[in-house]
Amino acid sequence: LCRFQTLSLESDKYISVKDQGQDGSPVMIIVDLENGFNVTRRPMKAEAFIMHPSKNIIALRAKNDSGNGHYVQVFNMDTRDKMVNCDLGENIVFWRWIDEKTIAAVGASGCYHVTMGDNTPKKVFSRDGQLAASNNGQIIGYSTDHSQNWLLVTAINTPDQGRTINGNMQLYFTEANRQQFLEGHAGCFGQAIVHETGEKSSLFCFAERKAGETVSRFHVMEIGKPQGGQKFKKSTEISYSPDYPNDFPVLMQMSEKYGVVFMITKCGFLFLFEIGSCNCIFRNRISDDTIFVSTKHTATDGLLGVNRKGQLLSIAVDGDNIVSFISNNCRHIPDAVGVAAKLAGRYGLSGADDLFVAQFNRMLQSGDIKGAARIAAEAPGGVLRNDDTMNKFKQLSGTPPPIMQYFSVLLEKGKLNALESIELAKPVLQQGRANMIENWLKEDKLECTEELGDLCKQFDNNLGLSIHLRSNSPARVLEGFIETKQFEKIAPYCQKVNYSPEWADLLKRVILTNPEGALRLAQMLTVREGGRRPQVDLEVVVDIFMAHNKLLETTEFLIKALEGNRSEEGHLQTRLLELNLMAAPAVAKTILEMNMLTHYDKPKIAQLCERQGMFLHALNNYAEIADIKRVIINSLPPNGLTAEQINEFLGTQTPQNALECLHELMKSNRQNLQTVVQGAISYHQQIGVPPLIQMFESYGNFDGLFYFLGSVINNLEDEDIYFKYIEAATKLNQVKEVERIIKETSFYDPVKVKNYLKEARLPDPRPLIFLCDKHGYIPELTQYLYKNNLNKFIEVYLFRVNPAASPEVLGSLIDLECDETYIKQLLNNIRANCPVEQLVQEVESRNKLRILQSWLEARSNEGMQTPELHNALAKIYIDINKDPQSFLINNQFYDSKVVGKYCEDRDPHLAYTAYKRAWGSCDNELVEVTNNNNLYRLQARYLVERQSLELWAVVLIEDNPHRRSVIDQVVATALPETKNPEEVSTTVKAFMTADLPNELMEL
């Protein structure tokens, strides 16, 4: 089991072993060194495996599908996740974890790094020189420095079947892409102190034995940027046991804690080299069998190794005794005591106190001030860094003063302790050179203590505060912040260092000297950002501020602290407003107008606002209607609120409350009318128009009703509301507005409005005129105007409003037995603007047609050809017998049918004349009137002259009782009188058509 190829030790947590089960199948064995050496066995199919240095993660290696290389898989055995799956494309001959995330794999041709989470291996360099695969060497090691800029791969081979083992190393520097080949068997990287600066340097250590030589050497080389002036480089010969002259190193590891290098040889010898002097300080055989694998033991900064027998060996340095061991046992080292002392000084090891004290005293006695100071600085454990040492330097005289030389050396070497820092600060401060202390603080050269801060504070408050901050002295820091007025830093500092002072007491102290600073401190203490809760009760802060009569600071504090408007802080909101209402009403007003607080005691604040004359804010905070009405009445202009403010407030109330407020305004003073009207207009939709109308009416205030409805009427359609508006306008004699409503709208009840206007008996009845004209109540209008002696408005109506209504008006006047002279006067003024047909109809229906004679004749003379006009004239002339025969014969414009019909009962001959004039369109009427009145001779003459076979057919029809009489007149009179042969011919044809041979013979 315990062979190089089957066992791995990647860290001091796991030992990994590949074994075979009873059936010969591969088995992985994992020994958990941190868990009581618990052993886990699992079957495996992989070729090899290695455990992660610290986690339950396993890396597996197996042949790839092509068989010409290996692939690597990495699994997290806790989560069952596959972290890596990559194919290197060549065989892996050596592999190991080089950090928590990286596996180094040495292949046949190169070296690769496999990073967790990345399935693509990165080739870092190729195997060259003696490490090339062609040389058949065995890779036994791979290591890196902390930064992985320096890489080392180690191989061994034998040219003589094992008698001689040669070692070769390939050192590669990634940043410069350079490499160096070394002849040796083992090497390692690490950091150790090798310069006087005390800073650790990056080092490369290796054991070298060149081919053909029998001497081996141990080398220490500084890599990277040197910490001192020159790179450190030392070597020493390795002295192997005479019994094993062919022995060689197989393992090497640095202990950075103690500044030594462990080297283990093939024959089991342990060599221990002190790095600073490059001396071997220990050699002994610790194992009879080869220790073939090792790792760092974290707990001791030592080494764990496994030999071929399977023994696990732990190797560590005894830090308490190594210094005395070197001093007393390393006689082969010329200056063993010096080496031990330096080692103790560099790493703070015990066991060299007496050495350092003796050296210090010798140098001090010899006058070597700087040497003595250097010994004191390097002495481990601060054995010489005390009052006694400083007193010795103080007792010496010189230029510069020995004590200052001592401090100078200490500052070069590192940091002063507390006593030294105070002792150095005293003279520096007295010389007024506080800037030097500031520089030393920046360089971390002084140990900051409360005492040092107190000392510096006497000369510079800021410097003292800076030291107290570094010394973690919270009480002193807070004092410093207060004295330097850096109040804004107090709360963050306390939070940072988890310090909880008595904040209330601190505020009381601060407010005495700096109220503004106290305010800023209080604000920081009560900030709520990030879910933090106030570190001091808000009410306590207010009490402290007001105890010193700091209203301004109290107000600013509460405004900030109460942001968020939390209900549980309502009492503080009340207090904020109350304090300012009593002492600074203008500030309180501003706060209220910010609308940031809503949980205060509103009735209480409302009362205070009312007392201060802040009526609007009082209204906004009162809830009882009685309070609201009182404030409104007391706040009327010019004492307080403007009408606009009252109106705006009403909008915040319920409709019922708003209406009650309007009632109160109306009741208190008529001068409030404008405010009431504006409120009614603004909120009529919420309150409702009917309740507002009722309100105005209840106070008999038709002015308000008129102005209110006048502003909203155009958006309404309710008949009752329109009637109320007309009623109000009428009462205020707003005739023009009543006219406008009547003419431009139709949302009122015309009958109701008409009756109201009649009852109102307006001096100017034009609204009634327009209404009756629009809705056809002309007779009723005429009757109203005539009976109320408003004849001039009859004329206004007829002449300016609607002349077309003249017929109805005149007809109504006739019905009212109006003087005909007045009617004729109206007609003469109307002239042709009156519609003739309707006029004639209205007058004729009342048997008063003769009234129109002069008007009709005037129109006829003007050339009017309207048949109705000439019909009326014809009827008048017929009735008064004014040469009707001539009118009927000569007038071209009357309607023969109408006039003929009118004449039938009065004078059939005139009817015959009218019908004859129509010459064809009144044939039937002519025949009928002549038949009824035995005017056969006239009918016979018309028939002959008409020459209409159709008319003859009607007259000569067999069942016509008048046929014989007509034939007799044709034969006896009409035909003999004619001189027109065509008339005779047509008559003969008509008789023939009617089959009247006898009558034809007579003819």
Side-chain angles (χ1 to χ4, degrees), residues 82 105 156 171 194 252 274 324 363 382 419 449 482 581 640 653 805 824 839 848 852 867 904 909 929:
K82 182 186 289 187
I156 58 174
L171 178 66
V194 293
M252 188 177 290
E274 194 277 320
S324 59
M363 290 187 175
L419 292 175
T449 60
I482 293 171
L581 280 168
Q653 299 299 295
K824 290 177 180 180
L839 176 62
K848 294 290 186 178
L852 304 179
E904 285 183 0
H909 289 86
V929 73

Side-chain angles (χ1 to χ4, degrees), residues 146-159:
H146 289 289
S147 64
Q148 295 185 11
N149 289 327
W150 292 87
L151 311 174
L152 179 70
V153 60
T154 306
I156 58 174
N157 59 27
T158 176

